[in-house]
């Protein structure tokens, strides 16, 4: 068994010492997997991703990326799509490509241009002039055009139309490096289910409630992942 | 366009059914090479491992065979193809009979219905 791409041990995170968002969370994801990180609103999905990127600092616990303790160095392995876009609105799309080229050694500008073309996005347009959904597509293209080892996609398809959603999922399957792991958070479980290798349900108590192989869900539970999610979290709420 | 799947059956079973149909319809003729796992997975918008699983099923049924590292090919064994076709026909007819039974239609009536619809068609 090769080194997992991401391992979290006894991870705890609270905000202002108040609510424990992640409580002794343990998880490990091996290379070459597409993983759905799923859970109800406010369960800590984005918090977990931000901890892995180093945007937040854990209260306690450890994070390993490709076997190394999380650091500035491991950030180079990670391609992160945040919930909100951070790109400068006054930039043109092609300027953004140059920007990413300067920032990331593993950025593939030709791939980015090809994807822009596929989605009919004008590379000379300023970001300010693009719609919310188109801006999200541009941001996702930038993130997927890197040859990273770990992709962290926080709600990659929420704001885009169904046709582009198909394209984006196809891009995720078709263009990512087979050694790399892709972690996707979303509530659109039905859309991403066929794409997933594995899934992990993050519960409201800040721990992984249930995880497994996406293909086995139907055989084991007799229902789709989407239906399983509804069932698990419905039961959960009645306690 | 991404393929559509129902919520009951495992996705790889649904993919195998669809590809089996494509093979038997002659979309992929005997001895022709089928597209790569990655290509098919992208087309269907499913995980490559799921696609792999579906192709392995069809290999086990004898409809596909692997030629080293070149790729997968449709069998040229006419008996295997005909047997698969026969299975699908039999399964569909069994389905009609079951549905007719649920609707309270006797076999005699079912045959009459089929003849009548055929005349109207």
């Amino acid at each position: 068994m090769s080194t997992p791409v991401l391992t979290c041990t006894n991870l705890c995170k609270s905000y202002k010492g108040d609510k424990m968002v992640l409580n002794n969370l343990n998880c490990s994801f091996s290379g070459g997997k597409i993983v759905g990180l799923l859970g109800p609103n406010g369960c800590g999905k984005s918090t977990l991703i931000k901890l892995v990127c180093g945007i937040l600092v854990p209260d306690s616990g450890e994070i390993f990326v490709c076997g190394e303790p999380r650091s500035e160095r491991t950030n180079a392995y990670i391609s992160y799509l945040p919930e909100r876009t951070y790109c400068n609105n006054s930039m043109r799309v092609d300027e953004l490509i140059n920007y990413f080229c300067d920032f990331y050694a593993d950025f593939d500008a030709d791939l980015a241009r090809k994807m822009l073309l596929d989605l009919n996005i004008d590379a000379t347009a300023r970001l300010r002039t693009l719609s919310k959904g188109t801006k999200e597509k541009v941001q996702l293209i930038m993130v997927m055009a890197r040859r990273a080892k770990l992709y962290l996609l926080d709600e990659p398809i929420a704001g885009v139309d169904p046709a582009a959603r198909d394209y984006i999922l196809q891009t995720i399957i078709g263009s990512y490096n087979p050694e790399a792991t892709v972690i996707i958070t979303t509530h659109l479980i039905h859309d991403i289910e066929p794409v997933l290798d594995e899934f992990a349900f993050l519960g409201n108590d800040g721990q992984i409630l249930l995880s497994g192989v996406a293909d086995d869900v139907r055989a084991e539970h007799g229902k789709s992942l989407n239906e399983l999610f509804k069932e698990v979290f419905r039961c959960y709420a009645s306690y | 366009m991404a393929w559509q799947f129902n919520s009951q059956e495992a996705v790889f079973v649904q993919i195998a059914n669809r590809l089996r149909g494509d093979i038997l319809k002659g979309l992929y003729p005997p001895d022709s090479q089928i597209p790569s796992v990655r290509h098919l997975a992208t087309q269907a918008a499913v995980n490559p491992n799921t696609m792999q699983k579906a192709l392995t099923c069809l290999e086990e049924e004898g409809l596909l065979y692997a030629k080293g590292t070149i790729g997968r090919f449709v069998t040229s064994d006419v008996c295997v193809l005909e047997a698969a076709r026969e299975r699908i026909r039999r399964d569909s007819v069994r389905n009609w009979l079951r549905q007719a039974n649920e609707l309270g239609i006797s076999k005699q009536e079912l045959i009459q219905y089929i003849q009548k619809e055929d005349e109207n068609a």
Side-chain angles (χ1 to χ4, degrees):
Chain A
M1 191 70 193
S2 57
T3 322
V5 170
L6 175 65
T7 307
C8 299
T9 50
N10 302 323
L11 202 59
C12 292
K13 174 70 189 173
S14 58
Y15 288 109
K16 291 182 180 166
D18 211 21
K19 194 202 167 209
M20 285 291 261
V21 181
L22 301 180
N23 190 0
N24 248 339
L25 178 116
N26 290 290
C27 61
S28 181
F29 301 111
S30 50
K33 302 282 188 222
I34 303 178
V35 182
L37 180 62
L38 313 170
N41 298 112
C43 72
K45 302 182 294 290
S46 297
T47 299
L48 176 59
I49 284 182
K50 285 175 186 167
L51 288 169
V52 176
C53 301
I55 294 170
L56 295 173
V57 181
D59 298 349
S60 62
E62 282 170 312
I63 300 167
F64 297 92
V65 180
C66 302
E68 294 177 39
R70 207 218 72 75
S71 66
E72 302 312 313
R73 223 163 77 95
T74 61
N75 274 359
Y77 309 151
I78 300 173
S79 192
Y80 167 52
L81 179 81
E83 316 164 80
R84 292 189 197 90
T85 73
Y86 51 80
C87 297
N88 186 338
N89 257 330
S90 62
M91 269 188 163
R92 289 199 315 263
V93 178
D94 48 8
E95 286 172 340
L96 193 64
I97 291 181
N98 294 336
Y99 202 58
F100 267 73
C101 277
D102 290 343
F103 259 106
Y104 302 108
D106 60 3
F107 186 73
D108 185 341
D110 290 335
L111 179 60
R113 287 198 194 92
K114 181 198 163 285
M115 290 197 274
L116 288 171
L117 209 65
D118 286 347
L119 286 174
N120 293 316
I121 298 171
D122 176 10
T124 61
R126 292 206 185 274
L127 290 177
R128 175 188 323 118
T129 65
L130 301 178
S131 72
K132 178 171 171 283
T134 308
K135 246 184 255 182
E136 285 185 24
K137 287 180 204 167
V138 170
Q139 175 89 65
L140 183 69
I141 287 171
M142 297 301 145
V143 168
M144 289 313 294
R146 283 186 55 199
R147 301 295 183 189
K149 291 180 180 164
L150 177 60
Y151 296 86
L152 300 172
L153 310 180
D154 202 348
E155 293 279 0
I157 52 172
V160 303
D161 63 80
R165 213 171 276 174
D166 276 358
Y167 175 84
I168 286 167
L169 292 176
Q170 285 168 340
T171 306
I172 292 173
I173 308 161
S175 74
Y176 86 105
N177 156 14
E179 307 288 297
T181 286
V182 185
I183 297 181
I184 306 174
T185 78
T186 186
H187 294 299
L188 297 164
I189 303 172
H190 178 79
D191 285 334
I192 64 155
E193 182 185 357
V195 171
L196 298 181
D197 281 296
E198 293 174 5
F199 71 95
F201 284 172
L202 188 55
N204 282 319
D205 59 353
Q207 298 186 347
I208 301 287
L209 199 63
L210 187 67
S211 64
V213 176
D215 255 349
D216 295 345
V217 168
R218 290 170 193 227
E220 280 170 21
H221 301 275
K223 48 178 66 101
S224 70
L225 193 59
N226 198 24
E227 290 161 346
L228 182 66
F229 182 94
K230 287 188 203 173
E231 186 189 273
V232 166
F233 289 105
R234 183 176 300 139
C235 296
Y236 196 69
S238 62
Y239 285 121
Chain B
M1 213 187 84
W3 298 1
Q4 297 300 313
F5 302 105
N6 67 48
S7 298
Q8 288 81 46
E9 269 178 310
V11 174
F12 78 91
V13 174
Q14 297 182 54
I15 294 172
N17 287 343
R18 176 164 171 160
L19 289 175
R20 191 184 299 107
D22 286 349
I23 291 168
L24 298 179
K25 272 182 260 169
L27 205 68
Y28 302 117
D31 255 340
S32 69
Q33 185 173 7
I34 62 158
S36 70
V37 173
R38 216 171 167 80
H39 182 91
L40 284 170
T42 309
Q43 220 177 33
V46 302
N47 191 289
N49 292 329
T50 309
M51 183 56 73
Q52 177 76 42
K53 226 165 152 179
L55 294 180
T56 306
C57 279
L58 297 177
E59 251 178 61
E60 281 165 5
E61 289 172 25
L63 286 173
L64 294 178
Y65 66 95
K67 222 186 237 177
T69 52
I70 306 169
R72 284 190 180 76
F73 291 76
V74 178
T75 182
S76 53
D77 189 330
V78 187
C79 296
V80 173
L81 289 168
E82 195 42 49
R85 259 185 217 112
E86 185 56 35
R87 248 195 325 272
I88 289 183
R89 288 191 204 115
R90 207 180 51 210
D91 287 348
S92 333
V93 173
R94 279 185 186 160
N95 252 334
W96 303 339
L97 286 172
R98 207 196 55 238
Q99 283 170 1
N101 192 30
E102 279 166 11
L103 292 169
I105 301 171
S106 72
K107 273 181 201 135
Q108 232 55 45
E109 284 169 322
L110 181 63
I111 292 165
Q112 280 167 11
Y113 274 119
I114 290 170
Q115 278 167 346
K116 205 172 135 200
E117 283 303 315
D118 192 42
E119 279 160 24
N120 291 342

